[in-house]
Amino acid sequence: MTSFRRWFLAVLAASVVKAEPVQKSDLQLPPSASIHQAAVKELFVTSYEAYQEYAWGHDDLLPVSESYFDGRNGWGASIADAMGTMWIMGLTDWFEQAVNHTANTDFAISHTSDTVSLFETTIRYVAGFISAYELSGAQYPVLVEKAQDLADQMAYAWVRENQSIPYGFINFSNLLPTIATSNIAEAGSLTLEWNRLSLYTGNSTYQTLAEKSVQYMINMPTPLPGMPAQGIDPLTGDPVGGYVTWGGGSDSYFEYLIKYARLTNTDDNSYADAWLTAADTSVKTLLRSSTVDDWLYLADYDNDQVIRHVGSHLACFYGGNWILGGKLTNNETLVSIGLRLTDACWNTYASTATGIGPEGFAYISSDGNFTGNTAPSQEQLDFYYAHGFYITAPDYILRPEVLESNFYAWRATGDPKYFNNAVSATVSFKKYLRTTVAYTGIYDVGNVISEKIDDMESFWFAEVLKYLYLTFDDPNHISLDEYVFNTECHIFKAPPAKSHYGSGSEPQPVSSQPFSPMSAPLPAVSPILALLRSL
């Protein structure tokens, strides 16, 4: 056993002492905070006014063509995703308008010919409505009713009484699922939302279904201890392939393990222990440093012990998640790693011409530069030797994850660099994402005159602008010691923290069964539907 390993386990064992406060106790905002917060609110107002004018009631504004796109069943995804941010920003008139729209929308049918995504509908609509219900002081019970309407239809994703893993898509016209493989993020990121729905409806079925899926995955055979393969077959419960990642297709499964333990204060330690086991495995197997500037990343793992030196904007949530989990388990080693992961992800912003990070990147470590794809070009290598990573997908589609981790780092440490990072991002967004009517993504973060992507995803309202706004807000407002954020940045009120989370013992593999994956196609990971339509 290495000295680092012994040190890590010693700190881990100390987690039984007491869960640390997540936020720095004496955190003070700089005097300029109100100016930057006003700038973020202006971004929201400009974007939402354009949505109201050109896309009201639809899912996304297309800000270049000044039109709309319904990629989330036409129920008004931007409205659902914006409600909590409106309340936090004090935009109460718009909030009332959003409630009225929700109250008069039939969520029992899809308003498009598309099937309904169990995952996306849960994290955007169900979570958006329940969070808005909580934030507004339970004034609008219709929000819970509409969330229940959706969940009642989506419960048919579990087609057999003994089936643990739900299918990913449902046809609301006949309540039949699409028979296809799923992934652990889609099937394992329902617990926060469906638990809250059970709380407010008094119907435990929602919580039971969501927990059943996660418990199955916690105990299934895995390619690495505590880290299920990305793919899973709902019919058999078998893993599909042996790919392990903190990125898309797996990300929020790991994210929710520790968050569910915190939101519910459950006495069942399996959620926190599974998260700690995944973190322990990642320290031993996936942690990699770049040969330039020593940036710290979590690599991907393909079956048969193949490391892929890749990163993504989606995966960059992991810094904030490790900060949160490290605090809750009193593990400063994990907090420190989380801060270093956050810094490396921010470097992908700081290193581009626009000051905005790319969708995908890769790096070289002491064990090589294998990514599973072609070797880096000379241009990519030149960029790597200057910045400690190189870009593999140069687009920015309004993703929030780097700003999410930066927010956790700011609230946990009070280090001014994290505040300044948020300032920098706000300035870059205003400068490079502006269209004639709103803001949108760009195809190339390395090009200051990049062509714009004609889609303003609803998570611009739910996540990007909320994380920025809260970074500049009073730290005691929406404190990380009082609230838990879902993967779409919808906020749920949490009870006072327990004395500790997890059993405190050394993480152990949770399944002794041999890992024997099946081979089958995997679903697309978090597709941007309007962008796919334009290609």
Side-chain angles (χ1 to χ4, degrees), residues 135-169:
L135 288 169
S136 58
Q139 296 181 58
Y140 305 97
V142 68
L143 295 173
V144 175
E145 294 169 15
K146 295 300 182 176
Q148 185 174 20
D149 287 347
L150 285 166
D152 285 346
Q153 309 289 86
M154 291 191 291
Y156 287 92
W158 290 263
V159 297
R160 302 187 314 278
E161 185 176 347
N162 64 341
Q163 182 175 335
S164 296
I165 305 300
Y167 285 102
F169 291 84

Side-chain angles (χ1 to χ4, degrees), residues 8-20 269 272-273 276 325-332 498-507:
F8 176 80
L9 293 176
V11 177
L12 186 66
S15 65
V16 296
V17 177
K18 182 174 175 55
E20 291 186 9
N269 284 327
D273 284 349
L276 282 164
K327 289 289 187 179
L328 293 179
T329 58
N330 196 31
N331 189 317
E332 285 302 318
K498 291 173 60 176
S499 60
H500 66 275
Y501 292 86
S503 63
S505 59
E506 178 178 347

Side-chain angles (χ1 to χ4, degrees), residues 313 345-358 396 402-403 420-429 431-433 442 444-448:
H313 205 296
C345 284
W346 177 256
N347 181 55
T348 68
Y349 273 57
S351 300
T352 69
T354 60
I356 301 171
Y396 174 68
V402 174
L403 301 174
N420 293 331
N421 289 348
V423 172
S424 175
T426 304
V427 171
S428 291
F429 291 164
K431 185 173 183 179
Y432 297 113
L433 305 185
I442 53 179
D444 186 357
V445 296
N447 182 356
V448 296

